[in-house]
């Protein structure tokens, strides 16, 4: 019978955003796996602040564009699922098991940030949509 058009309109944007989130993780963070040792012996990393900021800005733009097109739930769900999956795959080789805490923090942080951004953009663009008549 196949999927109906309304289902596709809900699922496709979420899948696209999930894929974009995984690709953005790979582009910004996936290639950097080595921790940095400073002169005083302390260890940081593996990610630099500019990498995390780049990932955040990239995903913020994707969430805002998707929400502006009326797909707020897909923006939140797709980004959260994609980034959580990418973090899990990237960090799952940690033998201590503590990576699960980091993955949970990524999931919660991504959900909250994308939900706030999506709500703000939806509220700002809702009156501008042409498919709904303005009421007063």
């Amino acid at each position: 019978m196949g999927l109906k058009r309304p289902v596709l309109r809900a699922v496709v944007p979420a899948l696209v955003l999930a894929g974009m989130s995984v690709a953005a993780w790979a582009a910004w963070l996936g290639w950097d796996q080595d921790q940095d040792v400073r002169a005083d012996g302390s260890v940081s990393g593996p990610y630099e602040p500019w990498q995390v900021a780049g990932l955040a800005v990239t995903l913020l733009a994707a969430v805002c564009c998707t929400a502006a097109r009326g797909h707020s739930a897909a923006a939140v769900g797709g980004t959260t699922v994609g980034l959580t999956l990418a973090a899990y795959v990237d960090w799952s080789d940690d033998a201590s098991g503590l990576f699960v805490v980091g993955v949970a923090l990524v999931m919660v942080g991504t959900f909250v940030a994308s939900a706030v951004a999506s709500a703000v953009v939806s509220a700002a663009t809702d009156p501008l949509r042409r498919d709904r008549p303005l009421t007063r």
Side-chain angles (χ1 to χ4, degrees), residues 6-110:
V7 174
L8 286 175
R9 285 187 177 189
V11 172
V12 170
L15 291 175
V16 168
L17 224 54
M20 286 178 62
S21 298
V22 170
W25 180 283
W28 286 103
L29 306 179
W31 55 270
D32 192 359
Q33 300 296 317
D34 298 323
Q35 291 189 333
D36 301 320
V37 179
R38 297 184 181 140
D40 64 356
S42 63
V43 178
S44 69
Y47 313 124
E48 297 294 327
W50 63 267
Q51 290 173 283
V52 177
L55 175 64
V57 169
T58 300
L59 293 178
L60 180 63
V63 166
C64 290
C65 287
T66 305
R69 294 182 181 274
H71 301 289
S72 295
V76 175
T79 305
T80 302
V81 168
L83 214 57
T84 303
L85 177 65
Y88 180 84
V89 169
D90 195 18
W91 297 341
S92 64
D93 61 348
D94 177 29
S96 72
L98 288 176
F99 75 95
V100 176
V101 175
V103 171
L105 291 172
V106 166
M107 181 179 67
V108 170
T110 304

Side-chain angles (χ1 to χ4, degrees), residues 67-72 122-123 125-135:
R69 294 182 181 274
H71 301 289
S72 295
S122 291
T125 60
D126 193 35
L128 302 177
R129 289 205 192 108
R130 293 184 181 151
D131 58 345
R132 292 186 185 170
L134 292 175
T135 57

